């Protein structure tokens, strides 16, 4: 009797987990193993594959393209990450000031977060049109001759950064805002009594207490930056002269334009290693600057 | 002192208004562009407000491409993904929160560890799986991977844990089955978390690009982002057309946001979303 009851209980548990477990086994466990296996082959879908050992990996690491892709990605990160953190912090600090229009401002910053990247990237391609776009028209108004943006290999990546900043500032601003609102106001009251200036209050109270949020944003933006995709696909397709070629765009091209499934899989594992190492490094270094309240 | 406060307030509003203009101006340009005739696109100086308002780009959009179909595809796919995702995640979350069994924490740990693996790794094999199952260009194919969503399980588990065990025990005493308890107690009491998860899942599915891009290659099966990216390639200089399409794709999300702002913001700050 007890045994039947137990079996019945286990069947119930299993049936509740069944949809998740099935999809997990196929689209995660099998997929990840299959991708790893593929990365050692030269499979092109149409003809039978043969094993290559580490050839895909070594070909990628020895190609000029790979180092260009890495350089482009790091360039994007060096521009985007500090700027998005600074702007989002500013937006959060401004939205934290109570005013009658706070909710309107909040919505305005949030609209780009809601739009799809495809729509946003098309819009920015048009905004940055060298002759007919409003950005250069505004520059013209101040007597500055604007660059050719997406058609100039020096300006294409900064243009993508600009679009990304516009799209993401509301999201990370909101994350910092919820961090700010969690800070106990009595800290500020005490500091005010002690005569601390606004800058001192920011550096000694706000920033340390906000550092876990900053750390979170740093992790998320790094992971996202390595996987930059729709902006590049819609705005530049990797051009001009490979100046905006990035990992996901390369993986997509190898897999779904040239059907080099093995090579593309190897590329995706190299990307994984970069993301993994970067995240681990940030975890190690966080002890030096992230302050957790006990 | 009062003087200082007033200056501060003026300065605050000035900064906010300038920043808001930066944020809004691109969208304003999107709207006005969609109302222009093709000739006005290359006008110099640029026309901030079209001299002649025309809806031609909208009608053209629907004649050169099955854009209405793409809209419907997006609605069907996003709603299906949202429903399945929430349903499957809440079922699993109920087990992880309330039904102890041997190895439960280990299984949860394994589920969580998949968050480490970027989507780029599973993209190619997942495509190949669908290809072998002949599910490319189908609603079912695009939806299938959503049956597993660790992010959803995680959020809902946190919430279901806070439901008192007494409620469940009392129902068991009355002879209710676990399914009955799930539908009559757990789901109703988890409504706020379910709404949060549903709203952000819907937004993620509505805006998703890479996965639909590789699965849906048939014009009649495409969702809006894929359809837009195709138009972006084919009509790359007809910005009035592109902006009309972009605008149509944004409006439904804005409507959902208007009604569920609180849930959106809760969901998005609860953790990172897929890019």
């Amino acid at each position: 009797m007890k045994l039947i009851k137990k079996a019945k209980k286990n069947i119930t548990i299993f049936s509740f987990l069944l949809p998740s477990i099935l999809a997990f086994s196929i689209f995660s466990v099998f997929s990840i193993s299959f991708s790893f296996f593929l990365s050692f082959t030269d499979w092109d879908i149409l003809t039978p594959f043969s094993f290559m050992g580490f050839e895909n990996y070594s070909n990628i690491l020895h190609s000029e393209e790979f180092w260009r892709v890495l350089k482009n990605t790091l360039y994007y990160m060096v521009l985007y990450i500090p700027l998005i953190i600074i702007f989002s912090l500013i937006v959060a600090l401004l939205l934290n000031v109570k005013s009658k229009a706070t909710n309107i401002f909040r919505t305005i910053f949030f609209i780009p977060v809601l739009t799809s990247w495809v729509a946003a990237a098309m819009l920015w391609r048009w905004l940055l049109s060298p002759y007919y776009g409003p950005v250069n028209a505004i520059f013209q108004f101040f007597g500055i001759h604007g660059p050719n943006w997406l058609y100039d290999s020096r300006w294409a990546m900064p243009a993508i950064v600009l679009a990304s900043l516009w799209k993401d500032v509301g999201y990370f601003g909101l994350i910092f805002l919820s961090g700010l609102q969690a800070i106990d106001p009595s800290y500020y009251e005490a500091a005010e009594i002690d005569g601390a200036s606004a800058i001192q209050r920011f550096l000694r109270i706000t920033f340390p207490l906000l550092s876990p949020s900053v750390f979170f944003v740093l992790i998320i933006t790094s992971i996202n930056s390595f996987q930059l995709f729709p902006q590049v696909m819609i705005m530049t397709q990797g051009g001009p002269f490979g100046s905006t070629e990035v990992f996901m765009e390369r993986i997509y091209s190898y897999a779904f334009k040239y059907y080099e499934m093995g090579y593309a899989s190897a590329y995706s594992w190299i990307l994984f290693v970069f993301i993994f190492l970067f995240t681990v490094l940030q975890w190690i270094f966080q002890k030096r600057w992230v302050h957790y309240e006990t | 002192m009062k003087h200082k406060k007033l200056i501060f307030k003026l300065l605050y509003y000035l900064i906010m208004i300038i920043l808001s203009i930066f944020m809004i101006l691109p969208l304003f340009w999107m709207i006005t562009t969609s109302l222009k005739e093709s000739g006005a696109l290359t006008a110099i100086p640029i026309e901030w407000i079209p001299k002649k308002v025309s809806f031609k780009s909208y009608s053209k959009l629907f004649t050169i491409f099955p854009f209405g179909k793409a809209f419907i595809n997006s609605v069907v796919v996003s709603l299906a993904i949202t429903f399945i995702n929430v349903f499957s995640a809440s079922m699993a979350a109920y087990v992880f929160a309330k039904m102890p069994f041997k190895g439960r924490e280990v299984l949860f740990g394994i589920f969580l560890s998949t968050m480490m693996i970027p989507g780029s790794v599973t993209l190619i094999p997942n495509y190949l799986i669908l290809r072998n199952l002949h599910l490319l260009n189908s609603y079912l194919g695009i939806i299938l991977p959503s049956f597993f969503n660790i992010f959803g399980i995680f959020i809902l588990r946190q919430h279901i844990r806070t439901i008192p065990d007494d409620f469940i025990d009392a129902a068991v005493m009355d002879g209710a089955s676990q399914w009955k308890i799930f539908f009559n107690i757990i789901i109703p009491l988890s409504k706020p978390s379910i709404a949060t998860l549903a709203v952000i899942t819907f937004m993620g599915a509505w805006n998703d690009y890479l996965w639909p891009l590789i699965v849906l290659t048939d014009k009649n099966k495409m969702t809006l982002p894929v359809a837009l990216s195709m138009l972006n390639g084919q009509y790359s200089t007809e910005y009035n057309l592109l902006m009309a399409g972009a605008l149509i794709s944004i409006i439904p999300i804005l409507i959902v946001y208007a009604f569920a702002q609180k849930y959106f913001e809760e969901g998005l700050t609860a953790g990172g979303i897929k890019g």
Side-chain angles (χ1 to χ4, degrees), chain A residues 9-10 12-13 15-21 23-24 26-32 34-36 38 43 45-46 90-91 93-103 105-120 122-127 129 131-135 137-138 151 165-167 169-171 174-175 178 216 220 223-224 227 229-230 233-235 237 248 251-252 255-256 259-261 264-265 268-269 271-272 275-276 279, chain B residues 8-9 12-13 15-17 19-20 22-27 29-30 33 36 41-44 46 48 88-92 94-96 99-101 107 110-111 114 116-131 133 141 144-149 153 178-179 182 203 206-207 209-211 213-214 224-226 228-229 232 235-237 239-240 242-243 245-247 249-250 253-254 257 261 264-266 268-269 271-275:
Chain A
K9 196 183 143 224
N10 282 339
T12 316
I13 288 176
S15 57
F16 270 92
L17 286 175
L18 189 65
S20 288
I21 286 183
F24 172 73
I26 299 168
F27 296 105
S28 292
V29 178
F30 175 75
S31 236
I32 291 166
F34 189 37
S35 166
F36 195 62
L38 273 177
W43 202 35
I45 295 192
L46 304 169
I90 293 172
V91 166
L93 289 169
L94 287 169
L95 287 176
N96 203 25
V97 178
K98 294 270 172 304
S99 81
K100 278 176 199 128
T102 308
N103 211 27
F105 290 137
R106 214 179 150 112
T107 306
I108 288 172
F109 284 106
F110 210 64
I111 289 174
V113 179
L114 302 169
T115 64
S116 73
W117 246 123
V118 174
M122 279 180 3
L123 172 61
W124 275 90
R125 199 162 71 75
W126 178 215
L127 287 165
S129 161
Y131 302 108
Y132 312 117
V135 173
I138 292 169
Y151 303 96
L165 290 173
W166 175 81
K167 173 121 169 56
V169 73
Y171 173 54
L174 195 72
I175 287 183
S178 62
F216 172 76
I220 297 286
I223 293 175
N224 288 350
Q227 300 191 77
F229 183 70
M233 280 302 279
I234 302 293
M235 290 169 78
Q237 306 238 321
M248 287 307 289
I251 292 169
Y252 172 80
F256 302 106
Y259 292 102
E260 292 184 34
M261 295 297 171
S265 298
S268 73
W269 281 100
L271 172 61
F272 165 71
I275 294 176
F276 185 78
T279 311
Chain B
F8 177 79
K9 215 170 183 179
Y12 172 78
Y13 275 104
I15 294 172
M16 272 318 224
I17 287 166
L19 284 177
S20 299
F22 268 113
M23 298 308 286
I24 283 294
L25 211 57
L27 294 164
W29 182 246
M30 178 187 269
T33 300
K36 282 178 188 171
L41 294 175
T42 52
I44 291 179
I46 62 167
W48 283 99
S88 172
S90 52
M91 275 164 59
Y94 179 33
V95 171
F96 285 120
M99 295 187 211
F101 65 89
L107 182 66
I110 295 171
F111 275 11
T114 54
M116 281 296 299
I117 308 281
S120 47
V121 166
T122 48
L123 188 72
I124 294 166
N126 285 355
Y127 166 83
L128 295 170
I129 291 167
L130 289 197
R131 196 171 175 277
L133 297 171
L144 271 181
S146 338
F147 274 98
F148 175 67
N149 176 2
I153 296 175
Q178 285 297 340
W179 287 101
F182 176 68
M203 181 182 123
W206 184 268
N207 290 341
Y209 175 51
L210 182 51
W211 177 239
L213 174 70
I214 63 170
L224 284 170
V226 186
L228 285 175
S229 79
N232 181 62
Y235 300 88
S236 62
T237 57
Y239 285 108
N240 49 354
L242 299 180
M243 293 300 106
L247 198 60
S249 81
I250 292 172
I253 285 290
L254 293 183
Y257 177 71
Q261 185 180 359
F264 258 102
E265 294 180 356
E266 258 169 31
L268 288 171
T269 45
I273 45 160
K274 305 180 271 187

Side-chain angles (χ1 to χ4, degrees), chain A:
Chain A
M1 191 58 198
K2 212 176 164 192
L3 215 66
I4 295 173
K5 214 173 162 188
K6 201 170 172 205
K8 227 174 145 184
K9 196 183 143 224
N10 282 339
I11 290 170
T12 316
I13 288 176
F14 185 69
S15 57
F16 270 92
L17 286 175
L18 189 65
S20 288
I21 286 183
L22 263 181
F24 172 73
S25 321
I26 299 168
F27 296 105
S28 292
V29 178
F30 175 75
S31 236
I32 291 166
S33 341
F34 189 37
S35 166
F36 195 62
F37 166 83
L38 273 177
S39 73
F40 297 101
T41 70
D42 64 352
W43 202 35
D44 61 0
I45 295 192
L46 304 169
T47 52
F49 63 84
S50 52
F51 274 104
M52 324 253 300
F54 283 93
E55 212 179 305
N56 284 331
Y57 289 94
S58 100
N59 283 346
I60 292 169
L61 293 174
H62 283 103
S63 69
E64 213 178 297
E65 180 201 81
F66 171 77
W67 297 101
R68 184 169 65 236
V69 164
L70 184 63
K71 203 185 88 200
N72 290 343
T73 306
L74 294 177
Y75 182 39
Y76 173 84
M77 290 169 83
V78 165
L79 289 178
Y80 170 77
I81 294 177
L83 288 174
I84 193 72
I85 289 178
I86 292 168
F87 285 130
S88 311
L89 264 176
I90 293 172
V91 166
L93 289 169
L94 287 169
L95 287 176
N96 203 25
V97 178
K98 294 270 172 304
S99 81
K100 278 176 199 128
T102 308
N103 211 27
I104 297 171
F105 290 137
R106 214 179 150 112
T107 306
I108 288 172
F109 284 106
F110 210 64
I111 289 174
V113 179
L114 302 169
T115 64
S116 73
W117 246 123
V118 174
M122 279 180 3
L123 172 61
W124 275 90
R125 199 162 71 75
W126 178 215
L127 287 165
L128 294 171
S129 161
Y131 302 108
Y132 312 117
V135 173
N136 276 3
I138 292 169
F139 276 132
Q140 198 73 46
F141 181 79
F142 291 105
I144 304 165
H145 187 74
N148 280 343
W149 298 110
L150 302 171
Y151 303 96
D152 182 334
S153 54
R154 285 167 306 166
W155 284 100
M157 195 53 103
I160 289 174
V161 171
L162 187 64
S164 306
L165 290 173
W166 175 81
K167 173 121 169 56
D168 295 342
V169 73
Y171 173 54
F172 294 113
L174 195 72
I175 287 183
F176 285 138
L177 183 63
S178 62
L180 281 177
Q181 286 171 346
I183 296 175
D184 187 344
S186 63
Y187 287 120
Y188 292 108
E189 284 155 22
E192 207 146 354
I193 291 166
D194 291 346
S197 71
I199 294 168
Q200 276 175 323
R201 284 196 304 252
F202 179 79
L203 292 177
R204 295 285 163 82
I205 302 172
T206 313
F207 193 79
L209 291 178
L210 207 58
S211 58
S213 307
V214 178
F215 177 63
F216 172 76
V217 171
L218 198 61
I219 294 270
I220 297 286
T221 50
S222 312
I223 293 175
N224 288 350
S225 300
F226 273 114
Q227 300 191 77
L228 190 65
F229 183 70
Q231 297 95 307
V232 170
M233 280 302 279
I234 302 293
M235 290 169 78
T236 60
Q237 306 238 321
F241 307 111
S243 62
T244 56
E245 279 176 350
V246 289
F247 284 104
M248 287 307 289
E249 178 268 338
R250 288 290 85 200
I251 292 169
Y252 172 80
S253 297
Y254 282 118
F256 302 106
K257 279 187 190 157
Y258 317 131
Y259 292 102
E260 292 184 34
M261 295 297 171
Y263 195 76
S265 298
Y267 234 113
S268 73
W269 281 100
I270 291 176
L271 172 61
F272 165 71
V273 169
F274 271 99
I275 294 176
F276 185 78
L277 286 180
F278 224 80
T279 311
V280 169
L281 273 179
Q282 284 172 331
W283 272 106
I284 293 170
F285 277 107
Q286 64 148 337
K287 285 189 202 117
R288 300 211 179 158
W289 64 276
V290 180
H291 175 96
Y292 290 102
E293 252 188 310
T294 40

Side-chain angles (χ1 to χ4, degrees), chain B:
Chain B
M1 196 64 199
K2 214 177 169 189
H3 204 63
K4 208 174 157 190
K5 226 174 177 176
L6 189 75
I7 292 175
F8 177 79
K9 215 170 183 179
L10 275 174
L11 200 69
Y12 172 78
Y13 275 104
L14 189 73
I15 294 172
M16 272 318 224
I17 287 166
I18 292 171
L19 284 177
S20 299
I21 290 172
F22 268 113
M23 298 308 286
I24 283 294
L25 211 57
L27 294 164
F28 175 79
W29 182 246
M30 178 187 269
I31 297 168
T32 57
T33 300
S34 76
L35 298 173
K36 282 178 188 171
E37 287 191 339
S38 297
L41 294 175
T42 52
I44 291 179
I46 62 167
E47 289 179 17
W48 283 99
I49 294 163
K51 285 197 179 109
K52 195 176 161 225
V53 173
S54 136
F55 288 91
K56 267 187 204 153
S57 58
Y58 287 90
S59 56
K60 192 178 172 192
L61 188 63
F62 287 86
T63 49
I64 55 165
F65 194 90
F67 203 76
K69 193 87 210 300
F71 192 91
I72 293 164
N73 289 339
S74 266
V75 172
V76 172
V77 167
S78 307
L79 285 178
I81 286 179
T82 307
F83 180 77
I84 283 169
N85 196 327
V86 167
F87 196 65
S88 172
S90 52
M91 275 164 59
Y94 179 33
V95 171
F96 285 120
K98 293 290 180 194
M99 295 187 211
F101 65 89
K102 223 174 164 183
R104 187 179 74 168
E105 303 314 313
V106 176
L107 182 66
F108 192 63
I110 295 171
F111 275 11
L112 274 180
S113 69
T114 54
M115 281 176 125
M116 281 296 299
I117 308 281
S120 47
V121 166
T122 48
L123 188 72
I124 294 166
N126 285 355
Y127 166 83
L128 295 170
I129 291 167
L130 289 197
R131 196 171 175 277
N132 270 14
L133 297 171
H134 301 285
L135 287 175
L136 293 178
N137 280 315
S138 74
Y139 287 156
L140 186 62
I142 199 122
I143 290 163
L144 271 181
S146 338
F147 274 98
F148 175 67
N149 176 2
I150 183 58
F151 177 65
I153 296 175
F154 190 81
I155 304 192
L156 293 177
R157 172 176 164 266
Q158 302 290 91
H159 188 104
I160 295 173
R161 272 164 119 180
T162 64
I163 296 173
D165 284 339
D166 301 354
F167 289 12
I168 298 164
D169 293 342
V172 170
M173 294 285 253
D174 290 344
S177 71
Q178 285 297 340
W179 287 101
K180 211 166 175 183
I181 295 171
F182 176 68
F183 283 111
N184 294 342
I185 298 174
I186 303 297
I187 294 227
L189 288 178
S190 313
K191 263 184 194 155
S193 304
I194 286 179
T196 303
L197 179 63
V199 165
I200 58 161
T201 308
F202 180 81
M203 181 182 123
W206 184 268
N207 290 341
D208 195 15
Y209 175 51
L210 182 51
W211 177 239
L213 174 70
I214 63 170
V215 175
L216 310 172
T217 47
D218 174 352
K219 259 189 183 183
N220 286 304
K221 292 286 156 92
M222 288 178 177
T223 53
L224 284 170
V226 186
L228 285 175
S229 79
M230 202 179 167
L231 291 171
N232 181 62
Q234 281 177 358
Y235 300 88
S236 62
T237 57
E238 294 188 43
Y239 285 108
N240 49 354
L241 191 74
L242 299 180
M243 293 300 106
L247 198 60
I248 291 173
S249 81
I250 292 172
I251 286 167
I253 285 290
L254 293 183
I255 292 172
V256 178
Y257 177 71
F259 286 102
Q261 185 180 359
K262 195 184 107 202
Y263 296 121
F264 258 102
E265 294 180 356
E266 258 169 31
L268 288 171
T269 45
I273 45 160
K274 305 180 271 187

